[in-house]
Amino acid sequence: MSRRILLINGPNLNLLGKREPHIYGTTLLGDIETQAQLQANSLNITLETFQSNHEGAIVDRIQQAAGWGPNSNAATSDMGKVSAIIINPGGLTHSSVIVRDALLGVDIPFVEIHVSNVHAREPWRNHSYFSDKAVAVICGLGVYGYTAAIEFAARHLKLKGQEAKL
Ligand SMILES: O=C1C[C@@](O)(C(=O)O)C[C@@H](O)[C@@H]1O
């Protein structure tokens, strides 16, 4: 299995750094992704990043991560396969059956991340359609959560590789 990680950011996270800075901070998504790429390089991991404001586009990208995208065929089905997904679903956290179904459908382990502490905000943010299926959930660490998630995923992948050698 390749050491590839897919980082997905859902709706409105393209506005990180500008949107409600008292909650989400002032670091731009582009800077988070650049830092994440540097970190991935140092861990010998290939990192792919994807952000969309559109639920269906996120479903397509998750399917593609398993080689099953709507445009996949036998020749391309192995391309782009990833070993782990790190996802900040944004507001879809609290509403999206279809993104949950996509993640379960591809059977790729995933880490759920939130910049803010969703449990210290409006009560309806306490419920996630993802947390019961996630390998891990990170929230409230600010943008450092992305660094922690990549570090964790890298260790998780390493463990898998070691198991495979036994
Ligand atoms: O868009 C977001 C961002 C968020 O996922 C976070 O990163 O803290 C928390 C969600 O409740 C919210 O809708």
Side-chain angles (χ1 to χ4, degrees):
M1 186 178 277
S2 59
R3 286 169 60 83
R4 293 165 81 97
I5 296 175
L6 171 62
L7 171 62
I8 299 176
N9 278 286
N12 296 307
L13 292 163
N14 55 316
L15 299 182
L16 273 179
K18 303 172 193 155
R19 154 197 197 208
E20 299 181 274
H22 56 292
I23 296 175
Y24 299 113
T26 54
T27 309
L28 300 173
L29 180 61
D31 293 336
I32 291 167
E33 290 181 340
T34 301
Q35 176 55 39
Q37 288 292 358
L38 290 172
Q39 184 188 3
N41 289 348
S42 74
L43 292 165
N44 222 6
I45 280 168
T46 303
L47 180 76
E48 298 169 15
T49 60
F50 180 75
Q51 190 279 327
S52 179
N53 293 328
H54 304 280
E55 196 173 20
I58 294 170
V59 170
D60 286 347
R61 188 64 188 84
I62 290 168
Q63 291 183 6
Q64 193 191 341
W68 294 345
N71 300 319
S72 68
N73 57 43
T76 61
S77 63
D78 267 356
M79 287 169 57
K81 278 192 183 176
V82 307
S83 313
I85 294 175
I86 296 167
I87 183 165
N88 183 344
L92 294 174
T93 306
H94 319 295
S95 69
S96 186
V97 172
I98 72 165
V99 175
R100 174 192 172 98
D101 282 350
L103 286 166
L104 299 188
V106 297
D107 199 23
I108 296 172
F110 68 93
V111 175
E112 175 185 353
I113 169 180
H114 303 285
V115 174
S116 66
N117 179 357
V118 285
H119 301 290
R121 300 180 62 191
E122 300 95 324
W124 51 265
R125 288 190 204 270
N126 287 341
H127 179 257
S128 163
Y129 276 88
F130 301 87
S131 299
D132 63 312
K133 297 296 181 184
V135 176
V137 182
I138 294 171
C139 77
L141 294 184
V143 299
Y144 173 71
Y146 290 98
T147 307
I150 291 167
E151 178 76 26
F152 172 78
R155 288 180 190 278
H156 185 68
L157 291 178
K158 210 181 246 177
L159 272 177
K160 276 188 136 172
Q162 283 163 2
E163 277 163 18
K165 276 186 214 146
L166 294 175

